[in-house]
Every structure is written in C-alpha cells, then in structure tokens.
Amino acid sequence: MNINYNNKTFRVAGDNTEVTHFKYFQKDTIVWGEYEGGGVTKGTLIAKVDDNGVLHMHYHHLNANLEFKLGKCISTPRLLDDGRIELFETYESVNTDPISKGEITLIEVK
C-alpha cells in the first residue's frame, strides 16, 4: 500500500478532546514527526516505511510529569471509506520497569 504521510495530522481515536495529536512529515521512505497533548508534553518520532505502508518507528517524549518515555512502535495503516488514514499501533516503552506495552489507534484529521 503506497501511502504518503507528508503533512498529515493524526489524533488518538475517541471522543476525548484532550488527546495526543501527531504531525507527520515524509521524504522517500523516512517519516518523522512531533506530538503533544493528552499526557504528553512534547515528543518526537522517526520511522521507516515498508512496501505495505507500515511504519517501523522509534519515539521519545516527556510526559506530564516531565518523565522521559522511550520506545518503539509498529504502525499499520488502513484507508477509511472517506479517504482518511487510520493507524493501528502496537508500542513498547523500553525505559520503564516493567516494560510497558500497549495498543492505540490514530485517525487522520482533515
């Protein structure tokens, strides 16, 4: 799946207005971005895009308590009927004890 992530904005899916927002940029097969909101004060990410549009990324951010969170994430895209991109993500924070794992869904903001 050929997806262009450049200048796309995403938010954590759900009705809550206090969610994390992400801004992505892309050049060739490299994607990078910034994110904040919800429990995140400021964060950055960098990823490689595979032939299926899947993002293989590493991230780091400061949470609301100004604690560093470092991790990796696999972000799998799906095109919605209205043309927006939905990203299903599995993440693993590697600097926490115990290691924190989870899943979230992001949805493109038009």
Side-chain angles (χ1 to χ4, degrees), residues 41-86:
T41 300
K42 192 64 160 175
T44 61
L45 60 89
I46 189 161
K48 296 186 299 185
V49 184
D50 70 17
D51 292 340
N52 296 316
V54 175
L55 298 169
H56 302 265
M57 76 174 65
H58 288 243
Y59 64 87
H60 65 275
H61 66 256
L62 285 169
N63 67 15
N65 296 324
L66 298 181
E67 300 166 321
F68 281 103
K69 299 294 179 181
L70 311 170
K72 56 187 177 177
C73 176
I74 302 294
S75 186
T76 304
R78 179 173 76 100
L79 292 178
L80 300 175
D81 291 340
D82 62 7
R84 292 181 301 157
I85 303 166
E86 180 182 71

Side-chain angles (χ1 to χ4, degrees), residues 4-44:
N4 184 344
Y5 293 100
N6 195 46
N7 287 315
K8 301 281 187 188
T9 301
F10 296 88
R11 69 187 295 274
V12 174
D15 294 332
N16 187 348
T17 58
E18 294 296 320
V19 298
T20 309
H21 286 79
F22 300 77
K23 179 69 174 183
Y24 285 10
F25 303 95
Q26 181 174 357
K27 183 175 182 184
D28 300 321
T29 60
I30 305 299
V31 171
W32 66 96
E34 296 183 347
Y35 57 102
E36 62 185 22
V40 176
T41 300
K42 192 64 160 175
T44 61

Side-chain angles (χ1 to χ4, degrees), residues 92-108:
E92 181 176 318
S93 295
V94 298
N95 72 321
T96 56
D97 187 22
I99 292 175
S100 171
K101 296 181 180 186
E103 300 173 342
I104 61 169
T105 300
L106 304 182
I107 191 158
E108 183 179 356

